[in-house]
Amino acid sequence: MALRRNRDFLLLQAGQLLSSLGSSFSSVAYPLLVLSLTGSAPQAGLVSFARLLPSPLFGLVAGALADRRDRRAIMLAADAVRAAALTALALLVALNPVFWPIPLLAFLEGTGDTFFGASSYGATRAVVPTAELPAAVSVQQARTASVGIAGPPIGGALFGIGRAVPFAADAVSYACSFVSLLAMRTPFQQARAQHRAPLRAQLAEGFRFLWGQPFLRATAFLYAVGNFTIPAFLFVLVVVARGHGLTGGEIGLLLALFSAFVLIGSFLSPLARRRLSVRAIVLAELYAGIAVLAYVVWPSVYVLAAALLPQAIVLPITDSVVISHRIAMTPDRLLGRVEAVRTTLARTAQPLGPLAAGLLLGALSGRATVAVLAVLTVGLALAGTASRTLRTPPVLAEVAG
């Protein structure tokens, strides 16, 4: 595969592999830390909310900046901010663990994630030919899944060694990502004229482009609901598992199982793309989410973990199709803004997922919480089935922007 000989793609993936691994440590450590300090599921949900909130809050600005400035410089600055935030958090936890700075530092880390992510799609497009984009997205999904397998158990174990350890490791991982970006040679954007239009007009141009592409518009709205429910279910899994007396390492293993099935899906992705239509792949993900109803019938934490696995398999297959189409369809000069608008639409609900799940768990049982969230999952599947746009999706070879 040509990607194996693509130096800058390998550097980009190596840096993101390390930073993703560090993030997986802290992702499991954040709720464990708050639960150990306060014993409150709503407060643990608040921290997860704070970490995800910058995406809808700053996504449009980050996207416009990615189209106006040097994307590599933005990504370097984002890595520096994230490393500083996690270093401060590690010191706080080691010296004087109190609750109130934790959501603030989580918010700062999430802000770095938002600006890094807005430029990362342009970086991928810059170093990967259009024909290789589906394979590149599959590689990224496999990387994410591999990290998800190894990261949560290690993160849980590191938390058992010392509550500050997983956050310190995450800070180091961002420093490694910073170094890998410095080593890359390819410019992260094509030559472009200076933008003289007001920021508002530039963002409107990105929104008009996305709104004028039915496939991008439909998948953005479908993903918005999915980005609410999946983080919510994973948060419920952590809290319910903690309530059943599982250790941090054992909880990490349950989360790793989800990622193991994502990895399986990434390996199956080329076969699925050859055998199934784009519509069939998207609908398979939507309907796989209904399996969580098994937990309502049999409220065991292990049943909930198993019920999430069918959707885990389909996630990377869907992403390889949708993301590659999205990157290929969008002109480079608009990529940051269109991706920012899409991200804002798709992820506005994402930080609300853990927050809503935490509040529901504070008022209801885990079983009732999953039942409420399952109603949204069923509605999403029905909406995807009714979508006319998904019946005639664009052909990748014909849509390069």
Side-chain angles (χ1 to χ4, degrees), residues 11-390:
L11 280 171
L12 181 64
Q13 293 308 302
Q16 293 193 42
L17 171 65
L18 293 172
S19 66
S20 297
L21 184 62
S23 295
S24 70
F25 296 163
S26 57
S27 291
V28 70
Y30 270 116
L32 293 176
L33 173 63
V34 177
L35 290 171
S36 70
L37 290 177
T38 69
S40 169
Q43 285 182 302
L46 175 63
V47 171
S48 295
F49 169 79
R51 196 182 189 197
L52 296 172
L53 180 60
S55 181
L57 199 60
F58 302 132
L60 293 175
V61 174
L65 194 65
D67 286 343
R68 299 176 71 174
R69 305 297 182 189
D70 187 329
R71 290 171 181 156
R72 187 202 308 267
I74 294 170
M75 294 167 75
L76 288 169
D79 273 339
V81 168
R82 294 188 292 183
L86 268 297
T87 299
L89 181 56
L91 291 173
L92 170 75
V93 174
L95 299 176
N96 184 29
V98 292
F99 173 74
W100 68 265
I102 298 173
L104 297 179
L105 291 170
F107 179 85
L108 186 59
E109 183 195 3
T111 300
D113 290 343
T114 299
F115 282 86
F116 188 98
S119 293
S120 65
Y121 290 99
T124 299
R125 177 176 172 139
V127 301
V128 176
T130 299
E132 291 287 322
L133 281 174
V137 174
S138 290
V139 169
Q140 292 172 337
Q141 293 298 318
R143 179 204 75 214
T144 301
S146 299
V147 166
I149 294 170
I154 297 174
L158 292 176
F159 185 83
I161 295 171
R163 291 187 294 189
V165 175
F167 303 110
D170 197 7
V172 172
S173 76
Y174 288 131
C176 292
S177 174
F178 186 95
V179 172
S180 74
L181 291 173
L182 286 177
M184 293 177 66
R185 299 169 182 168
T186 305
F188 287 7
Q189 60 276 319
Q190 298 172 2
R192 55 196 179 187
Q194 289 292 325
H195 291 281
R196 300 187 182 279
L199 177 62
R200 188 173 181 177
Q202 293 178 42
L203 292 174
E205 184 181 9
F207 182 84
R208 283 195 300 271
F209 180 86
L210 183 143
W211 194 259
Q213 303 292 327
F215 180 77
L216 299 185
R217 184 176 67 239
T219 53
F221 281 103
L222 288 174
Y223 272 33
V225 181
N227 284 342
F228 174 89
T229 56
I230 294 175
F233 284 127
L234 291 173
F235 179 80
V236 171
L237 180 63
V238 172
V239 175
V240 170
R242 195 64 166 178
H244 279 69
L246 273 66
T247 66
E250 290 168 338
I251 293 171
L253 285 173
L254 288 181
L255 296 175
L257 184 62
F258 181 89
S259 295
F261 276 72
V262 173
L263 181 60
I264 292 171
S266 69
F267 290 141
L268 295 175
S269 182
L271 176 63
R273 291 197 303 270
R274 288 195 299 268
R275 298 292 180 87
L276 299 175
S277 67
V278 171
R279 180 173 187 261
I281 289 172
V282 174
L283 291 181
E285 177 183 330
L286 300 180
Y287 278 96
I290 297 176
V292 296
L293 288 171
Y295 178 77
V296 178
V297 178
W298 187 2
S300 162
V301 64
Y302 301 107
V303 171
L304 178 58
L308 294 172
L309 300 183
Q311 194 168 33
I313 291 179
V314 189
L315 280 172
I317 301 173
T318 307
D319 283 347
S320 72
V321 171
V322 174
I323 295 175
S324 60
H325 276 72
R326 200 167 66 224
I327 295 174
M329 291 172 69
T330 308
D332 182 76
R333 68 181 185 83
L334 287 172
L335 187 57
R337 283 168 286 168
V338 171
E339 187 57 30
V341 171
R342 196 278 317 168
T343 299
T344 301
L345 291 174
R347 293 185 179 175
T348 294
Q350 185 177 17
L352 297 175
L355 180 63
L359 293 173
L360 287 170
L361 287 167
L364 305 172
S365 66
R367 189 179 188 179
T369 297
V370 169
V372 171
L373 296 172
V375 171
L376 291 176
T377 303
V378 172
L380 183 63
L382 294 176
T385 303
S387 172
R388 295 182 179 179
T389 298
L390 293 182

